Amino acid sequence: MTTANKTLTEILDAVRERHRFVLISHMRPDGDAIGSQMAMAYALRALGKTVRIVDRDPVPSQFLAFPGIDDIEVTSEVGEDFDAAIVMECGDLSRTGVKGLEKLFVINIDHHPGNTMFGRINWFDESAAACGEMVFDLIDALGVQLTPEIATHIYIAIMTDTGGFHFGHMTPATFDICRRCAEAGARPEAIARAVYDSSTLGRLRLMGAVLHSLDLEAGGRLALSHLSLKMLADCGATSDDSDGLINLPLTVKDIDAVAFFREVTSESHRISMRSKGSVDVNRVAKAFGGGGHKNAAGCSMTGPYPEIRKRLIEEMCRSLTAS
Ligand code: 5GP
Ligand code: MN
């Protein structure tokens, strides 16, 4: 039996033995976080389990219309009245932003490189295109029938984590899972429309402002953009409206990496990074105490913008040169 199969068997046993579950994902949840949680919730409830779904931050608006989303509770602390916590999509426990998990029997299911194996059971598969792929395999192994709701949430997880089937560890298995989801009632076109074509005017304005702020470094291979609090206010946009804008520069052939600086306060920024192919932005994020994947990573930095920008460019150039 392979290690992965052994871990899966341990999870199956742990799930069968236990009754009260809390399902958690990361702060500022994305499609993979929400899709994984919701699919797991439907599957566990089909097995007669009691389930609560908890996130530190609210669900972004483009996911609100999908089935069951109202069940997600926004809170930063959980009590002890659970037999297990299933933490999905989190490289370490602090990514949840939720307190009280240390006391629970934690099952860690994740695909982020560098996962700290913080659970009692750790199922970590870096080769999965989305955590939702792993959740699909678990649901399959539990013998739960795919319903339209489960299929929809698994499809959301995979579609969003691959940027609409654009990047990441896509394999034939990815498409086989999506095929099975479509067969079970997931509607790819409706899902893509709801997720990608349900924008606000604020976001459209913000897109213009962020693109206007764009400049190039590293001989045109690196794009940098900046989003200040003032730009948000001027565009009548919220910070949710900025999700995904980071990907736009990568549509340019010669741009291999992008860093998007989001002002949090005058002295602190969140930085999101994306890259193509072998350019490793996870290494850059780690140099500043963050993390993520090779082609999508993030970190926080403090200090005046011109200064942190310069430090990040230096580190980015190392990754670009090494690629
Ligand atoms: P995003 O730019 O969408 O916020 O994050 C991109 C990827 O990097 C995601 O997989 C996310 O989990 C990871 N990431 C973002 N910020 C951090 C951070 O501060 N620490 C760690 N460990 N990972 C991060
Ligand atoms: Mn993911």
Side-chain angles (χ1 to χ4, degrees):
M1 195 188 270
T2 65
T3 319
N5 284 343
K6 195 163 156 277
T7 309
L8 190 56
T9 306
E10 270 182 68
I11 296 179
L12 292 177
D13 290 344
V15 167
R16 286 183 186 126
E17 283 163 10
R18 291 171 167 76
H19 294 283
R20 299 165 307 166
F21 291 85
V22 60
L23 310 183
I24 320 260
S25 194
H26 54 75
M27 298 180 269
R28 291 177 58 93
D30 58 10
D32 193 19
I34 288 157
S36 295
Q37 282 181 292
M38 290 307 308
M40 188 72 91
Y42 276 107
L44 293 179
R45 283 175 181 154
L47 294 170
K49 314 286 183 187
T50 304
V51 177
R52 277 176 62 191
I53 318 161
V54 162
D55 280 319
R56 212 268 324 246
D57 295 316
V59 176
S61 61
Q62 68 270 35
F63 301 113
L64 289 176
F66 290 112
I69 295 290
D70 285 352
D71 273 359
I72 298 180
E73 298 170 47
V74 177
T75 175
S76 53
E77 189 152 15
V78 292
E80 291 179 51
D81 46 347
F82 299 102
D83 303 323
I86 305 184
V87 179
M88 288 160 281
E89 251 296 269
C90 295
D92 61 70
L93 208 52
S94 68
R95 283 284 291 152
T96 62
V98 174
K99 292 195 209 83
L101 296 170
E102 316 73 33
K103 299 188 206 107
L104 299 174
F105 185 96
V106 169
I107 301 173
N108 162 20
I109 302 177
D110 183 41
H111 70 138
H112 291 90
N115 184 290
T116 59
M117 304 293 187
F118 53 83
R120 291 287 190 92
I121 306 178
N122 299 287
W123 184 24
F124 167 61
D125 182 0
E126 214 180 305
S127 73
C131 187
E133 279 193 3
M134 302 172 74
V135 171
F136 178 92
D137 287 342
L138 177 56
I139 291 173
D140 219 21
L142 281 166
V144 174
Q145 190 168 358
L146 279 184
T147 59
E149 290 81 13
I150 293 175
T152 296
H153 284 291
I154 295 288
Y155 189 89
I156 291 170
I158 296 174
M159 183 192 76
T160 55
D161 240 33
T162 58
F165 306 102
H166 244 73
F167 50 71
H169 298 264
M170 284 178 279
T171 63
T174 309
F175 293 94
D176 197 43
I177 293 172
C178 290
R179 178 188 64 75
R180 288 189 54 197
C181 288
E183 221 165 51
R187 295 166 55 219
E189 188 190 342
I191 294 171
R193 279 214 181 279
V195 173
Y196 297 122
D197 301 339
S198 59
S199 194
T200 60
L201 192 59
R203 181 182 160 83
L204 195 67
R205 290 204 183 99
L206 202 59
M207 203 179 280
V210 166
L211 289 181
H212 192 68
S213 81
L214 193 81
D215 59 357
L216 298 179
E217 293 283 342
R221 292 181 72 198
L222 170 63
L224 297 128
S225 54
H226 186 242
L227 173 60
S228 65
L229 295 170
K230 183 173 182 308
M231 281 157 75
L232 272 185
D234 288 350
C235 294
T238 66
S239 77
D240 272 359
D241 289 324
S242 68
D243 286 351
L245 297 190
I246 186 176
N247 295 312
L248 293 172
L250 290 184
T251 58
V252 174
K253 186 165 178 277
D254 294 333
I255 296 179
D256 290 325
V258 55
F260 182 45
F261 290 77
R262 223 184 308 222
E263 183 182 38
V264 182
T265 67
S266 60
E267 282 292 305
S268 81
H269 281 78
R270 282 279 316 151
I271 295 103
S272 287
M273 289 166 266
R274 299 289 185 271
S275 64
K276 291 177 188 160
S278 62
V279 180
D280 186 356
V281 288
N282 185 28
R283 201 195 58 78
V284 179
K286 275 195 181 148
F288 299 108
H293 310 265
K294 185 171 76 178
N295 295 134
C299 62
S300 297
M301 291 175 82
T302 51
Y305 176 58
E307 197 179 291
I308 59 172
R309 182 181 184 280
K310 187 163 169 281
R311 285 166 58 204
L312 193 101
I313 292 172
E314 279 166 15
E315 208 56 61
M316 271 284 200
C317 283
R318 289 200 187 107
S319 279
L320 285 162
T321 311
S323 71

